[in-house]
Amino acid sequence: MPRFQSDSDARRLGEALAALRRDRALSQAEAGRKAGMTSQGWGLYETGKRSGLYRPDVQRRLTAALDATPEDLLLHQGSAMPGMASEGKAFVHEPATRRLQLSNDDLAPWAASGVVVEYEPGRWPRRDQGCVIEMADGEVRVRLYEGADADALTVRGGPGGLAAHERIARSETRTVSTVVARLER
């Protein structure tokens, strides 16, 4: 069977799969388990050594294990380097992270007033991970992500502390971003 992609193309697509997995903070074993394979099998896809990575059905299976889409995989493949995105032959800078200082103790002991959270726009949080939610009305909320369905996000934190659960309608949100660091001052 002839190969239509070069080894470097397969490696680049595999590297994009690895970057997508790391963005989701999953190990190869966790991703493999979600896709119904071993960590070694997953690793072969990431190194471009397993055939089939260009097949749409394989891409759907692998990206679904990461709660992503084949389009997300292609976006990662097109990125030249962190913080850069390709638009045709030109590259535009995308801010990698933003910072926000907490002004209350709604998330204590996870993070207290004065702590600066660093968050990454466009990166979706995992369960029990901090998130910054920009509301449609301009309000910004920092919470712990619990889950989401088609209609709403479920988060913890806020005026009732970490024990308080809140459902926020997706129609009320503009963006949801992952907290990637807490910086104590």
Side-chain angles (χ1 to χ4, degrees), residues 20-33:
L20 193 58
R21 174 186 54 79
R22 285 190 299 271
D23 282 354
R24 302 315 196 257
L26 293 173
S27 68
Q28 286 183 340
E30 292 168 321
R33 191 170 31 259

Side-chain angles (χ1 to χ4, degrees), residues 131-144:
C131 64
V132 175
I133 305 164
E134 295 179 33
M135 305 298 290
D137 65 4
E139 178 189 1
V140 177
R141 299 180 188 177
V142 180
R143 302 288 191 266
L144 291 184

Side-chain angles (χ1 to χ4, degrees), residues 11 31 33 37 44 53 86 89 105 115 124 128 137 147 158 163-164:
R11 252 191 324 276
R33 191 170 31 259
M37 66 179 69
L44 289 173
L53 191 51
S86 173
K89 292 186 178 183
D105 289 329
V115 169
W124 196 261
D128 293 326
D137 65 4

Side-chain angles (χ1 to χ4, degrees), residues 7-169:
D7 287 340
S8 64
D9 289 341
R11 252 191 324 276
R12 196 167 48 250
L13 189 56
E15 289 168 1
L17 180 65
L20 193 58
R21 174 186 54 79
R22 285 190 299 271
D23 282 354
R24 302 315 196 257
L26 293 173
S27 68
Q28 286 183 340
E30 292 168 321
R33 191 170 31 259
K34 286 180 158 206
M37 66 179 69
T38 65
S39 61
Q40 292 84 3
W42 186 276
L44 289 173
Y45 280 118
E46 286 189 1
T47 58
K49 294 179 181 175
R50 185 173 224 173
S51 64
L53 191 51
Y54 284 95
R55 289 181 27 200
D57 60 316
V58 172
Q59 287 183 7
R60 280 191 301 274
R61 178 179 169 213
L62 297 176
T63 56
L66 302 174
D67 294 325
T69 65
E71 290 77 21
D72 295 325
L73 181 63
L74 294 177
L75 287 172
H76 270 76
Q77 184 184 15
S79 295
M81 57 193 313
M84 299 294 284
S86 173
E87 286 188 5
K89 292 186 178 183
F91 287 90
V92 292
H93 183 265
E94 295 176 351
T97 60
R98 295 184 186 160
R99 291 184 175 185
L100 178 68
Q101 185 170 10
L102 300 182
S103 60
N104 57 48
D105 289 329
D106 290 350
L107 295 173
W110 184 80
S113 180
V115 169
V116 174
V117 293
E118 193 170 274
Y119 63 100
E120 190 172 316
R123 183 170 164 189
W124 196 261
R126 298 182 330 272
R127 183 175 170 83
D128 293 326
Q129 189 171 23
C131 64
V132 175
I133 305 164
E134 295 179 33
M135 305 298 290
D137 65 4
E139 178 189 1
V140 177
R141 299 180 188 177
V142 180
R143 302 288 191 266
L144 291 184
Y145 178 79
E146 285 291 309
D149 57 33
D151 301 320
L153 306 172
T154 304
V155 295
R156 287 187 296 135
L162 286 178
H165 285 74
E166 177 181 14
R167 278 185 59 86
I168 303 171

